[in-house]
Amino acid sequence: MPSQPDDDETPVHRLSVVVPVYQGEKTLPGLIDEIVALASVRRTPDGHRREVTEILLVHDNGPDGSDRVIRELEVAHDLVRGVWLSRNFGQHAATLAGMASTGGDWIATIDEDGQHDPAYLDSMLDTAMREQAALVYARPTNAAPHGPLRNAASKGAKTVLRAVFGDGDASLFQSYRLILGDVGRSVSAYAGSGVYLDVAISWVTRRVTTSPVLLRDEGDRTSGYSLRKLLSHFWRMVLTSGTRGLRIVSVLGVVLGVLGVLFALYVVISTLAGQQLEAGWSSTIVVVLLSSGAILFSLGIVAEYIGVAVNMAMGRPSYLIVSDPGRGPLGRGVAASRRDGRRDPDPR
């Protein structure tokens, strides 16, 4: 059921919408019109009241006239506010800058190209409330409009990262997301230079879920990501995805060392049993396995120390203090309304 305007007096979920802008000259006006049309206090299908209180357009110094369009939109809509970066820092840095500038209970991040439909914000908020999740990713029900090769490469890269590196399920990562304001602003405060945004979020919350959305076509807009940028994007995700990859080096060293010991025992037992082995070959294999294992294990130990320093450089926090979840946005369900003596939201 579509959401409807509402004048109830139960608490309103205030949404801040962040749009990183690189090539938005043609697509921004239509996107902002859609968001503004849905901005007033409305009731979601599950009966929660929400309102878009601000739209932050983060200018990332792209090659088109996005700056002019942002200024025009600021004049045309009171909700719109520009956030101006000194140079091009990339989508993740621009998103962090926008999140740091918000003041809402929730932060929604939406791409500028029009493939993300703002109408799904209501269902994403309902999903967050039902599952008490601090972070909701859009889960596309159709293939992204990037071509089969890029889509397959993206899916494969996320699968590898999930299986090997940990620190969050990379297969869920999407730029269309809804995150608690406290968590989003905290992430923007501690995340270091070059950190992958979704990895940084995964450091401090495990209450993550998804909500189904239908992606729209980008039209004739060309992607701002070249092959080089996509590979760089993937590599940054690898480097910021924790130290599990470093531990693989140590484990491999242990495995080779164990194989060396076992093979040495085999050589000794075979010699005592009178079996003739080729001279020099057995001892060479034993030495190679043992030395390789020792070297890799030592490198793994050194890498662990480096990993600690890297985590500090990326800003990974030891802890994160947030407000009482029961008194914050996640506590504004029907039960909370009854507990506080307010009438329940009428879903009609």
Side-chain angles (χ1 to χ4, degrees), residues 51-291:
E51 176 186 15
V52 176
T53 55
E54 57 182 353
I55 305 171
L56 282 72
L57 305 180
V58 186
H59 183 243
D60 198 25
N61 292 272
D64 63 358
S66 295
D67 54 341
R68 172 185 54 80
V69 174
I70 292 175
R71 295 185 186 98
E72 293 173 353
L73 291 171
E74 282 183 311
V75 173
H77 304 288
D78 293 336
L79 294 178
V80 175
R81 177 159 57 95
V83 177
W84 304 92
L85 302 185
S86 61
R87 64 170 179 83
N88 174 248
F89 288 94
Q91 181 181 10
H92 283 242
T95 303
L96 286 168
M99 291 167 60
S101 305
T102 61
D105 300 318
W106 297 89
I107 302 172
T109 62
I110 297 180
D111 283 356
E112 62 180 13
D113 54 21
Q115 69 171 315
H116 296 157
D117 187 347
Y120 285 104
L121 288 175
D122 287 351
S123 60
M124 293 173 73
L125 177 60
D126 283 341
T127 300
M129 297 301 295
R130 280 196 305 269
E131 303 190 25
Q132 291 293 284
L135 172 63
V136 179
Y137 285 112
R139 186 180 74 251
T141 57
N142 60 324
H146 299 312
L149 182 60
R150 176 172 168 181
N151 289 340
S154 176
K155 184 177 180 179
K158 290 179 179 180
T159 301
V160 170
L161 287 169
R162 177 181 59 183
V164 178
F165 294 100
D167 258 344
D169 188 349
S171 65
L172 304 181
F173 292 171
Q174 287 285 337
S175 55
Y176 194 4
R177 57 178 82 82
L178 182 70
I179 182 173
L180 272 176
D182 282 353
V183 175
R185 284 183 287 273
S186 297
V187 168
S188 63
Y190 69 68
S193 175
V195 69
Y196 194 90
L197 172 57
D198 296 293
V199 173
I201 296 174
S202 72
W203 290 340
V204 295
T205 183
R206 289 293 184 263
R207 294 182 296 162
V208 180
T209 188
T210 61
S211 182
V213 303
L214 184 67
L215 296 179
R216 302 185 296 194
D217 198 293
E218 298 173 317
D220 58 354
R221 180 185 183 275
T222 58
S223 174
Y225 283 100
S226 62
L227 177 60
R228 182 183 63 82
K229 288 184 177 180
L230 288 173
L231 291 175
S232 175
H233 196 61
F234 171 74
W235 191 241
R236 180 171 58 171
M237 192 189 300
V238 170
L239 293 178
T240 58
S241 291
T243 58
R244 186 181 296 181
L246 301 176
R247 295 191 182 104
I248 293 176
V249 177
S250 298
V251 172
L252 181 59
V254 172
V255 170
L256 290 177
V258 171
L259 289 176
V261 172
L262 293 176
F263 192 78
L265 290 175
Y266 167 75
V267 171
V268 172
I269 294 173
S270 298
T271 302
L272 294 177
Q275 183 177 353
Q276 189 69 25
L277 298 176
E278 186 175 349
W281 180 83
S282 301
S283 58
T284 300
I285 295 300
V286 171
V287 170
V288 169
L289 288 174
L290 290 177
S291 59

